[in-house]
Amino acid sequence: MSTTERIAALRERLRERGLDAAVITHPSNRFWLSGYTGEDIPPNESSGHLVIGLEAAYLVTSRLNAEQARHEATGFTIYDRERDFAKADTAIIRELGARRVGFEDQAILYRDYRTLQDELDEGVELVALETLVDDLRAVKTPEEIELIARAQALTDQAFMQVAPTIRPGQTEREIAWRLEQALRDLGADGPAFPIAVASGPNGALPHYRPTDRQVRPGEPIVIDMGAMLAGYCADLTRTVWLGEAGEQLEHVFEVVLAALEAAEVGIRAGMTGKEADALARDVIAAAGYGEAFTHSLGHGVGVRVHEAPYLSPRGDRPLEAGHVVTIEPGIYIPGWGGVRIEDLAVVEPDGLRILTTVPKRITILP
Ligand code: ZN
Ligand code: ZN
């Protein structure tokens, strides 16, 4: 699906909701709709807004980014923001004659929202889009699935190059850096998120930044990484150990693996996120570790590494063919460590197609 088709899909949704324009301020939605790769500096420095009417589409940006914008966002008229994004948005909305204007309530600066409110003509209504664009993005086209699969293949390859070379005494930071180098050497644009290497007790924190701690034989080492390639993300977690696993690690690993397999075999299009999550959660709870599975089973992956749909106990939406999701059960025990195994999969009409190729168990000599 080209950006032209994506804009057509957005316009269809706008019409359904009686809107005649939308201001797009979420960077991922902006990229997905326009192809423009301008970099933002969160939380308050934007490199562009889109104003999309039913007939015309504008990319508002600074003069500095105009050349890049013209090159990348070919379906858009490039509009100089001059001093203020929201004032430029207002001018375009006036030019379009739009009366009901959608805005991204989950990704707009309060300052910009106030400017729109103050500057728009009397009678022009601002309407929250909620997750309208995110929902459009959630179902991937075959071309997008191909891009994600390439990012995942590259991630798998980088992991398999580095993991077998981990030795006692190497630090978490050193291992994370070598993984990042491998990603880049293999052609990734960079990591999709900061690589996590969490050894021993550090593995009890599901999102963890690597430290100078040296890895030791027999303890779990949780590695979470993903490549960014052509705007699309990958996501992989494996738990490895050097030499022999102790009894507890062996047991916890088997429970997490059984939970992963139950979910991967059982998930179908049409199930809700909650039902999918329960497939794994029930296995972990039955083994007595219910309290130790502290996060949801998975999330969508696309131009962002966390996006809709959500496989969580609160996920009430049904999974659809074309969703790309992670399956990542985990058990975390404070003071001891954690085990998480994460695969990336495409939801197909009759089940999941797993994109990840890394073995679940990797033997590493001490
Ligand atoms: Zn991950
Ligand atoms: Zn993940």
Side-chain angles (χ1 to χ4, degrees), residues 18-61:
L19 298 168
D20 38 22
V23 180
I24 303 298
T25 43
H26 191 306
S28 302
N29 292 340
R30 184 187 67 209
F31 167 69
W32 187 78
L33 286 163
S34 71
Y36 170 62
T37 62
E39 300 257 359
D40 308 276
I41 304 174
N44 62 343
E45 248 183 77
S46 171
S47 69
H49 289 184
L50 305 179
V51 182
I52 299 178
L54 297 178
E55 308 291 338
Y58 293 83
L59 167 53
V60 183
T61 187

Side-chain angles (χ1 to χ4, degrees), residues 193 207 224-225 234-237 299 305-306 326 328 340 342:
F193 54 90
H207 286 114
D224 192 351
M225 62 187 287
D235 200 0
L236 167 76
T237 303
H299 53 85
V305 75
H306 278 195
T326 67
E328 49 179 309
R340 179 167 69 257
E342 176 180 35

Side-chain angles (χ1 to χ4, degrees), residues 171-173 175-176 179 195-211 213-215 219-224 237-240 332 336-340:
T171 68
E172 293 171 344
R173 283 158 68 107
I175 297 163
L179 289 164
I195 294 173
V197 176
S199 62
N202 292 345
L205 307 162
H207 286 114
Y208 179 75
R209 291 293 175 97
T211 68
R213 186 180 187 280
Q214 298 178 329
V215 301
E219 63 183 12
I221 306 168
V222 184
I223 298 175
D224 192 351
T237 303
R238 286 293 181 265
T239 302
V240 300
Y332 308 93
W336 177 75
V339 171
R340 179 167 69 257

Side-chain angles (χ1 to χ4, degrees), residues 54-107:
L54 297 178
E55 308 291 338
Y58 293 83
L59 167 53
V60 183
T61 187
S62 67
R63 225 163 285 168
L64 188 72
N65 295 319
E67 202 40 51
Q68 180 191 352
R70 212 164 278 127
H71 186 70
E72 293 176 334
T74 48
F76 286 75
T77 303
I78 309 305
Y79 195 99
D80 189 351
R81 73 167 156 80
E82 291 180 28
R83 269 175 303 282
D84 190 280
F85 272 107
K87 284 191 177 160
D89 299 341
T90 308
I92 295 168
I93 292 163
R94 193 169 293 136
E95 214 172 288
L96 293 171
R99 305 304 294 169
R100 269 171 62 81
V101 178
F103 72 97
E104 294 198 285
D105 51 305
Q106 304 199 7

